[in-house]
Amino acid sequence: MTSGASPADVAAPPVGRILLCDDSPVDCIIVRNLLEKRGYFVRVVEAGQDALAALEAERFDLLVIDYEMEGLSGVEVTRVTRQRIDPRLPIILLTARTAQRDRLEALEAGASDFVTKPFDPAELLARIQNHVYTRQLGDSIAEANRLLEEERSKVIRVQQSLLPREIPNLPGIQFAAFYLPSGMASGDYYDIIPRGCESVLLAIGDVSGHGIPSAMYMSILRATLRSKCRLGASIVDVIRGLNEVLGHALDNFSFVTFLLAEYTFESRELRVASAGHHPPLIQDLSTGSVTQPEISTTVPLGIMERPRITSTSLRLHPGCRVIFFTDGIVEMVDGSGADFGTEGLARVLADNSSATPKEACDAVAAAMARFRGGARQQDDATMLIMQIDA
Amino acid sequence: MAQERFQLQCSVVEEGDPYIVAVSGEVVFENVEELRAFLLKIGESKTGTVVLDLAGLEFIDTSGLGVLVGMRSQFKRYGKELRLANPREKVLKILRLTRLSTVFGLEA
């Protein structure tokens, strides 16, 4: 089509793609010339049916369509486009009518704007430019969101791979866990690390806040823990080492509550050291009763340079469970502001003492969802169960 | 409902030394930046001891605790002290559990 554009302009990508649908050839030529001079790509169709086919086949930034046409009217095409093809496409109706009722009908069908015939070219062009700009802005926001979402799901995948993939198979001991990020990536962490055939280390931690920054700190926590767990190091040594590394790695406003326990198979001793983390619950499976032992604790990791760290020794009996958890479970609130609490968690565990550890995990997750009602999960929630078989 | 939650109010109660600020409502991930901005402003301008009166504070999550801990060390660098006072039972429980009660001088 003759457009008067210089060769350089022809090579440039169009500033926007416009579908023009009008059964008046004279109007088509005028509008087309006007737009092509401004660098728009214009496809012209003369019937409503053809406009729908073109919209199905190609992507456009804007539809300019005549109100009154043979066959499908501009309003009908607008309605079908909105409902079935593109809910966000800007649509300008060219109309000879000024009746309020017609405009209302068109607006209800989803028209974005009107230009009255005979139209002023400058006004038509200005309106088209505005709508194309909005459309393209919307598209670039949608694209940016898509990329962000893609990155986020990659972070979540990487993070999931940092959790124990295979739960170690130890005679007489069963493990089960759940890990529920609050929508985005999580600052929660748990791990099960066997130490030869003598003992197993159980770790649970919670980086303050949540989302991607917490997830990054969580991966530092994991790498550091794994490197500090060499044989012979006591759990107090390990926590001291973690505190040192995290003290340098974390920003001033972040910390990690962390609990490390070592269960020695032969003596059935569970030694626990905590850095500001909730003590575990202990359940006697013969009665179902749940208790929370007092354990010594120090401030969370990353706050003080040399905290005083001590450990507490507990003696476990065959036929018991130790339940480690993060605050996302017990501090979860319902619509009235009441919290689930350690009591709530203990109640669900007591009700499920004859279930398998995996079933008990599922029961706690289900009870949490019921307690929240329809509300969004506010914080990451993690639970790890170790069962010493009877 | 969602609007009702995440309310945070910070107001200056006394401008002397100690400089007393009442913090009420909830400090959580969603509004923690408000508290940080408020404390930063105080930290830059006021001298001496700043006391946060937590009598009206109903809940604080780990993001909120993170800001308190971070601001405390920032205040220290300016030669100031950040103290907490009058936490309700629920908040005190969280401070005790994390042992931050000792860091902020609420307990020995």
Side-chain angles (χ1 to χ4, degrees), chain A residues 184 206-211 252-255 257 275-279 297-300 303-304 327 331 333 335-337 339 343 376 378-379, chain B residues 1 5-6 26 29-30 36 40 59-63 65-74 77 90 93-94 96-100 102-103:
Chain A
M184 303 189 292
D206 181 356
V207 182
S208 58
H210 43 253
N252 267 341
F253 298 94
S254 301
F255 59 78
T257 71
H277 199 87
H278 282 271
T297 180
T298 183
V299 292
I303 292 181
M304 280 168 72
D327 59 3
E331 284 174 13
V333 290
S336 73
D339 60 24
E343 302 75 22
R376 189 174 70 84
Q378 302 288 355
D379 195 6
Chain B
M1 191 80 246
R5 297 198 60 220
F6 313 142
E26 282 191 319
F29 184 73
E30 283 75 3
R36 191 203 310 263
L40 264 177
F59 181 69
I60 184 163
D61 74 359
T62 53
S63 321
L65 293 176
V67 165
L68 293 184
V69 168
M71 289 312 304
R72 180 183 160 273
S73 48
Q74 203 132 320
R77 272 202 297 280
K90 195 166 166 183
K93 218 168 104 182
I94 298 169
R96 276 201 179 124
L97 176 80
T98 52
R99 303 294 288 161
L100 290 176
T102 58
V103 172

Side-chain angles (χ1 to χ4, degrees), chain B residues 2-105:
Chain B
Q3 285 296 328
E4 297 271 307
R5 297 198 60 220
F6 313 142
Q7 291 278 330
L8 166 67
Q9 264 166 4
C10 301
S11 51
V12 178
V13 178
E14 215 173 292
E15 299 216 20
D17 188 5
Y19 191 89
I20 303 175
V21 176
V23 180
S24 61
E26 282 191 319
V27 185
V28 288
F29 184 73
E30 283 75 3
N31 66 14
V32 77
E33 291 308 320
E34 287 175 49
L35 179 65
R36 191 203 310 263
F38 187 86
L39 293 178
L40 264 177
K41 228 166 58 199
I42 291 177
E44 281 162 8
S45 56
K46 305 295 174 291
T47 52
T49 303
V50 176
V51 177
L52 303 185
D53 184 341
L54 305 183
L57 185 69
E58 285 160 46
F59 181 69
I60 184 163
D61 74 359
T62 53
S63 321
L65 293 176
V67 165
L68 293 184
V69 168
M71 289 312 304
R72 180 183 160 273
S73 48
Q74 203 132 320
F75 274 39
K76 244 182 163 173
R77 272 202 297 280
Y78 298 138
K80 284 178 249 233
E81 199 187 344
L82 180 68
R83 274 201 228 148
L84 305 180
N86 305 323
R88 289 190 191 184
E89 205 185 313
K90 195 166 166 183
V91 171
L92 184 61
K93 218 168 104 182
I94 298 169
L95 290 168
R96 276 201 179 124
L97 176 80
T98 52
R99 303 294 288 161
L100 290 176
S101 50
T102 58
V103 172
F104 285 101

Side-chain angles (χ1 to χ4, degrees), chain A residues 35-259:
Chain A
L35 292 173
E36 284 186 344
K37 263 187 208 149
R38 300 298 173 129
Y40 288 96
F41 167 85
V42 184
R43 181 174 305 293
V44 178
V45 290
E46 289 180 5
Q49 207 52 257
D50 299 338
L52 291 176
L55 288 170
E56 297 262 22
E58 282 174 67
R59 189 199 157 278
F60 289 95
D61 293 311
L62 176 75
L63 169 63
V64 181
I65 188 164
D66 197 13
Y67 191 99
E68 249 169 311
M69 291 184 297
E70 294 284 317
L72 278 181
S73 76
V75 173
E76 283 162 332
V77 171
T78 299
R79 189 172 293 122
V80 173
T81 304
R82 275 284 170 272
Q83 288 172 356
R84 293 217 308 263
I85 304 173
D86 188 343
R88 287 198 308 115
L89 182 74
I91 301 175
I92 297 180
L93 280 166
L94 297 174
T95 169
R97 305 174 178 215
T98 46
Q100 175 81 7
R101 205 165 39 114
D102 296 336
R103 294 195 165 217
L104 190 64
E105 187 199 1
L107 279 175
E108 279 170 353
S112 320
D113 208 350
F114 302 94
V115 173
T116 313
K117 282 183 181 178
F119 51 80
D120 169 27
E123 184 195 342
L124 177 64
L125 194 64
R127 285 180 190 267
I128 286 175
Q129 275 168 346
N130 283 344
H131 285 291
V132 167
Y133 174 72
T134 310
R135 162 72 158 188
Q136 291 174 345
L137 199 63
D139 282 354
S140 57
I141 291 170
E143 175 63 8
N145 273 338
R146 193 188 60 76
L147 289 175
L148 209 62
E149 193 48 51
E150 215 176 272
E151 284 300 304
R152 211 171 65 174
S153 54
K154 276 184 211 158
V155 171
I156 293 172
R157 268 207 308 281
V158 170
Q159 184 169 40
Q160 296 279 353
S161 75
L162 297 178
L163 297 171
R165 259 171 280 189
E166 271 175 39
I167 289 194
N169 192 2
L170 300 168
I173 303 180
Q174 298 181 52
F175 297 101
F178 69 67
Y179 183 78
L180 303 168
S182 58
M184 303 189 292
S186 162
D188 278 9
Y189 168 64
Y190 74 92
D191 216 338
I192 306 168
I193 308 168
R195 286 184 130 181
C197 44
E198 271 146 48
S199 66
V200 61
L201 286 177
L202 300 139
I204 190 156
D206 181 356
V207 182
S208 58
H210 43 253
I212 291 177
S214 301
M216 293 176 74
Y217 288 141
M218 173 275 200
S219 68
I220 298 174
L221 172 67
R222 180 199 187 261
T224 313
L225 174 68
R226 291 262 169 168
S227 73
K228 300 276 177 198
C229 282
R230 62 189 188 283
L231 282 175
S234 74
I235 55 172
V236 169
D237 294 337
V238 173
I239 290 188
R240 192 171 291 126
L242 278 175
N243 185 63
E244 218 175 282
V245 172
L246 288 169
H248 293 290
L250 297 173
D251 66 57
N252 267 341
F253 298 94
S254 301
F255 59 78
V256 180
T257 71
F258 185 74
L259 183 138

Side-chain angles (χ1 to χ4, degrees), chain A residues 292-321:
Chain A
Q292 189 169 34
E294 287 271 332
I295 61 160
S296 67
T297 180
T298 183
V299 292
L301 305 177
I303 292 181
M304 280 168 72
E305 261 180 55
R306 282 188 192 77
R308 214 173 74 82
I309 308 163
T310 53
S311 62
T312 305
S313 170
L314 305 166
R315 192 73 52 187
L316 299 183
H317 300 285
C320 81
R321 268 177 201 163

